[in-house]
Amino acid sequence: MPDSCTFPKSSRLRKRADFVRLFDAPHKFNAKGFLVVWQPNDLAEARLGITVSKKVGNAVIRNRIKRYAREIFRCCRQALPPVDINVIARRESALMDFSRVKPELERSFRHIGVPSCSRALRSS
């Protein structure tokens, strides 16, 4: 399998300190059912963390949401700059299937690579 289609451990946020550092990150994007928080890192690639609380649903639902987010990140990670990303699922995401989650997270990931001055021009 090509490297662009994998999700190695080096592409994951695994330590609590990484998640805590993102807690007050200045870059946030609201998508339907998700909050995507990111911050530049000193590494050569983007890394993903996923937060799905028990308020969202039972273990089956939480695991499904995480699978969806990992798959979408796996397909988009080559186009992302070197950032740490935390995808925080909201209750609304429990009712979404993959075909509804994919465009929301892809839009969020595209937003990450856009410089802030370009964002203002694009939103008008």
Side-chain angles (χ1 to χ4, degrees):
M1 184 173 280
D3 282 343
S4 63
C5 297
T6 62
F7 188 54
K9 286 186 179 181
S10 63
S11 294
R12 303 175 197 171
L13 292 179
R14 300 174 61 203
K15 298 185 190 248
R16 183 179 189 278
D18 294 331
F19 285 92
V20 170
R21 190 171 57 86
L22 281 172
F23 185 72
D24 291 324
H27 307 289
K28 297 178 180 172
F29 186 81
N30 285 310
K32 188 174 183 178
F34 298 94
L35 174 65
V36 179
V37 182
W38 75 93
Q39 187 169 10
N41 65 30
D42 298 331
L43 306 171
E45 64 181 347
R47 298 188 308 166
L48 175 71
I50 305 167
T51 305
V52 187
S53 79
K54 288 184 178 180
K55 293 178 183 179
V56 173
N58 63 22
V60 173
I61 292 170
R62 292 192 311 267
N63 289 337
R64 185 183 69 227
I65 292 167
K66 289 187 272 189
R67 277 195 313 271
Y68 290 169
R70 280 193 303 265
E71 174 63 17
I72 295 163
F73 175 78
R74 187 183 65 77
C75 295
C76 297
R77 76 182 178 104
Q78 297 296 8
L80 291 170
V83 293
D84 289 342
I85 303 168
N86 188 13
V87 175
I88 303 169
R90 296 186 172 140
R91 287 185 181 146
E92 186 180 4
S93 64
L95 305 173
M96 299 169 74
D97 60 354
F98 187 73
S99 64
R100 290 176 55 206
V101 170
K102 186 176 180 183
E104 293 299 324
L105 288 182
E106 283 180 341
R107 186 167 54 99
S108 301
F109 292 158
R110 276 195 311 270
H111 187 78
I112 290 171
V114 178
S116 56
C117 59
S118 299
R119 247 184 253 143
L121 295 173
R122 223 174 48 173
S123 63
S124 50

